[in-house]
Amino acid sequence: MKCFRRSYRIRIYPNGAQRRLLDRWFGASRWLWNTALEIRSEAYRECALTLTGNDVSRWLTQWKRTSGHEWLAEVPATCLTQCLRDQDAAFRNFFDRRARYPRFKRKSAASSLRFQDVGAAWVRGHVSLPKLGVLKLAESLPEVERPDLMTLSRDAAGRYHVSFCVQVESSLLPIMHRVVGVDLGLRDLATLSTGEKIPSPKRYHARLRYLRQQQRCLARRQKGSRRREKQRVRLARAHAQVRQERQAALHALTTRLVREFDLICIEDLNVKGLARGRHARAIQDAAFSEVRRQLAYKSDWYGKILVEVDRWYPSSKTCSACQHTLDELRLDERQWKCPKCGTLHDRDVNAARNLLAEGLRQLAGRDDRDLRVDAGGACPEKILEQVLAEETRSGQRNRACMEQARFR
């Protein structure tokens, strides 16, 4: 059994009274964020004074008693306190150069509230929040301990969700004695070293014509009108549907890889740089970073190994049979013949095989020589036996070394 922190996100259906309450609470949280951000920015700009969330929290207690701001007392106190803590975290990320300067929140943007007291109804399978009551859930609650903090959010499409993070235990998946190299691409989302090609879902490309039509319709609506708001929600729901279909396809792919293989080797792509190039729309639709993110946390959960090969490794133009490297290989060349050994390669399959061999070499920690040359043309299973033996001798053991290195 392995313990780790896991996040859950469940859709909820608040009734009319609860939605009206949430609209007021979202507005109060947004007002507090913008007011606190303006005060802190002005204090530093004019007086070089650094204020914290605790300073604004003291003023918040006075504002609740001030005429004209009594509506602040209607919001649960923990929601407003968490809003100031989130702003402190935003400033810390800015000063640590992990994010840009905090920005003011717009009314039409997505909103969220954080609650500290979930309520005793959790043990009965219900979510009860302060001053809001019991919420209707789209699915049953997981059998976990009651969380200390819960976030209630509303997205641009008008859907409500609750999310929380808890400590869970999970059993490791059985050893499958299989390894794989994965090459990500645009035509085929993933090409495996076994020769299998998984097509890309391309959900955004499939709905692009409809999204363009709805976007033009939104541009023709008068700002501030009810028809414009209805059209905005319609467009947001279309984008949300595209995202859900893409996420479903990616989860199916990554879960299958983690279940069927013990070692997964992928390339450390510079997705941010690729997204500024010629095929930016297709690259963002493929979601390479999301594939790597899902493989990373699922491998950690279930005891599998994920190796990221350096992005500068020439996996596409290196022959997987004799290690000959071409001087140049154009992007439109999907197949090429090795001039040294005469092997005909599929570009993506050859890259996946090279990623697998390079990942095995990195895992063994032997950068001075190539395990494929030492193996004398052995299959990847034989190479993995050498990797496990090397790790056993070096004292760096992983879960795969715990069992006997015998392959089916």
Side-chain angles (χ1 to χ4, degrees), residues 5-33:
R5 295 193 65 83
R6 179 172 181 176
S7 298
Y8 293 89
R9 185 169 181 262
I10 303 176
R11 186 172 180 180
I12 60 174
Y13 299 96
N15 55 36
Q18 291 174 339
R19 285 198 300 268
R20 288 189 291 271
L21 272 178
L22 289 174
D23 290 340
R24 292 199 293 267
W25 294 357
F26 287 143
S29 178
R30 181 178 62 253
W31 178 89
L32 180 60
W33 174 282

Side-chain angles (χ1 to χ4, degrees), residues 75-212:
V75 187
T78 58
C79 297
L80 301 180
T81 304
Q82 290 296 330
C83 175
L84 297 177
R85 292 178 182 175
D86 291 343
Q87 193 171 99
D88 286 341
F91 273 104
R92 285 195 301 269
N93 293 334
F94 168 72
F95 288 118
D96 294 341
R97 297 185 177 181
R98 293 193 299 264
R100 54 182 175 180
Y101 194 81
R103 294 175 294 176
F104 292 98
K105 293 185 177 181
R106 298 182 293 114
K107 184 176 181 180
S108 59
S111 305
S112 63
L113 294 170
R114 295 184 185 273
F115 295 85
Q116 288 183 340
D117 186 11
V118 178
W122 180 272
V123 297
R124 299 192 302 270
H126 302 290
V127 173
S128 178
L129 299 180
K131 298 184 179 181
L132 196 61
V134 179
L135 297 171
K136 181 181 178 181
L137 303 177
E139 56 184 285
S140 301
L141 289 175
E143 296 181 359
V144 295
E145 296 183 357
R146 186 176 63 178
D148 299 330
L149 190 67
M150 179 173 289
T151 302
L152 191 152
S153 60
R154 182 186 61 190
D155 59 10
R159 301 175 302 177
Y160 295 85
H161 298 84
V162 290
S163 55
F164 49 91
C165 185
V166 292
Q167 191 83 10
V168 298
E169 291 184 355
S170 176
S171 58
L172 302 179
L173 291 177
I175 296 294
M176 304 301 296
H177 302 297
R178 298 181 64 189
V179 294
V180 69
V182 182
D183 179 66
L184 301 179
L186 298 181
R187 179 176 302 178
D188 298 304
L189 177 60
T191 302
L192 308 185
S193 57
T194 58
E196 180 183 359
K197 293 186 177 183
I198 302 174
S200 178
K202 297 182 180 180
R203 301 313 308 163
Y204 184 81
H205 178 75
R207 302 273 300 204
L208 183 58
R209 181 176 180 181
Y210 176 77
L211 292 174
R212 284 175 173 173

Side-chain angles (χ1 to χ4, degrees), residues 85-372:
R85 292 178 182 175
D86 291 343
Q87 193 171 99
D88 286 341
F91 273 104
R92 285 195 301 269
N93 293 334
F94 168 72
F95 288 118
D96 294 341
R97 297 185 177 181
R98 293 193 299 264
R100 54 182 175 180
Y101 194 81
R103 294 175 294 176
F104 292 98
K105 293 185 177 181
R106 298 182 293 114
K107 184 176 181 180
S108 59
S111 305
S112 63
L113 294 170
R114 295 184 185 273
F115 295 85
Q116 288 183 340
D117 186 11
V118 178
W122 180 272
V123 297
R124 299 192 302 270
H126 302 290
V127 173
S128 178
L129 299 180
K131 298 184 179 181
L132 196 61
V134 179
L135 297 171
K136 181 181 178 181
L137 303 177
E139 56 184 285
S140 301
L141 289 175
E143 296 181 359
V144 295
E145 296 183 357
R146 186 176 63 178
D148 299 330
L149 190 67
M150 179 173 289
T151 302
L152 191 152
S153 60
R154 182 186 61 190
D155 59 10
R159 301 175 302 177
Y160 295 85
H161 298 84
V162 290
S163 55
F164 49 91
C165 185
V166 292
Q167 191 83 10
V168 298
E169 291 184 355
S170 176
S171 58
L172 302 179
L173 291 177
I175 296 294
M176 304 301 296
H177 302 297
R178 298 181 64 189
V179 294
V180 69
V182 182
D183 179 66
L184 301 179
L186 298 181
R187 179 176 302 178
D188 298 304
L189 177 60
T191 302
L192 308 185
S193 57
T194 58
E196 180 183 359
K197 293 186 177 183
I198 302 174
S200 178
K202 297 182 180 180
R203 301 313 308 163
Y204 184 81
H205 178 75
R207 302 273 300 204
L208 183 58
R209 181 176 180 181
Y210 176 77
L211 292 174
R212 284 175 173 173
Q213 176 186 0
Q214 296 300 317
Q215 187 67 43
R216 288 194 298 266
C217 186
L218 177 65
R220 290 192 293 265
R221 296 290 184 262
Q222 184 179 358
K223 291 185 178 181
S225 63
R226 295 182 61 182
R227 294 188 67 189
R228 181 182 178 88
E229 178 63 19
K230 292 173 62 176
Q231 180 62 27
R232 184 197 65 80
V233 173
R234 185 181 295 112
L235 180 61
R237 288 177 178 174
H239 280 285
Q241 182 179 359
V242 170
R243 182 180 182 276
Q244 286 180 345
E245 294 175 353
R246 183 192 299 118
Q247 286 290 102
L250 296 184
H251 275 292
L253 169 63
T254 55
T255 302
R256 175 197 166 190
L257 292 177
V258 171
R259 288 184 178 275
E260 295 183 0
F261 300 97
D262 302 326
L263 174 66
I264 305 172
C265 302
I266 61 174
E267 188 175 3
D268 182 24
L269 295 174
N270 182 18
V271 182
K272 187 175 181 179
L274 293 174
R276 293 194 294 262
R278 179 179 179 183
H279 305 286
R281 180 187 298 160
I283 291 174
Q284 293 175 352
D285 189 17
F288 293 156
S289 296
E290 180 65 14
V291 174
R292 181 172 57 184
R293 185 190 72 86
Q294 292 184 13
L295 285 176
Y297 78 78
K298 291 180 181 180
S299 300
D300 181 63
W301 282 2
Y302 301 113
K304 300 305 178 73
I305 305 174
L306 178 66
V307 179
E308 296 185 7
V309 179
D310 189 84
R311 67 188 61 169
W312 301 110
Y313 175 70
S315 59
S316 297
K317 59 182 182 180
T318 299
C319 177
S320 58
C322 66
Q323 309 309 307
H324 175 74
T325 304
L326 299 179
D327 296 333
E328 183 181 2
L329 183 64
R330 300 194 309 270
L331 292 177
D332 58 349
E333 297 182 7
R334 309 313 304 176
Q335 292 183 351
W336 60 279
K337 186 176 182 180
C338 178
K340 184 176 180 180
C341 64
T343 305
L344 182 62
H345 292 291
D346 180 276
R347 180 193 184 101
D348 298 332
V349 176
N350 177 70
R353 292 173 178 171
N354 285 327
L355 290 176
L356 172 59
E358 180 67 15
L360 290 171
R361 186 174 64 86
Q362 292 183 11
L363 185 63
R366 302 164 64 181
D367 297 332
D368 55 335
R369 57 197 182 112
D370 197 332
L371 288 177
R372 292 168 297 190

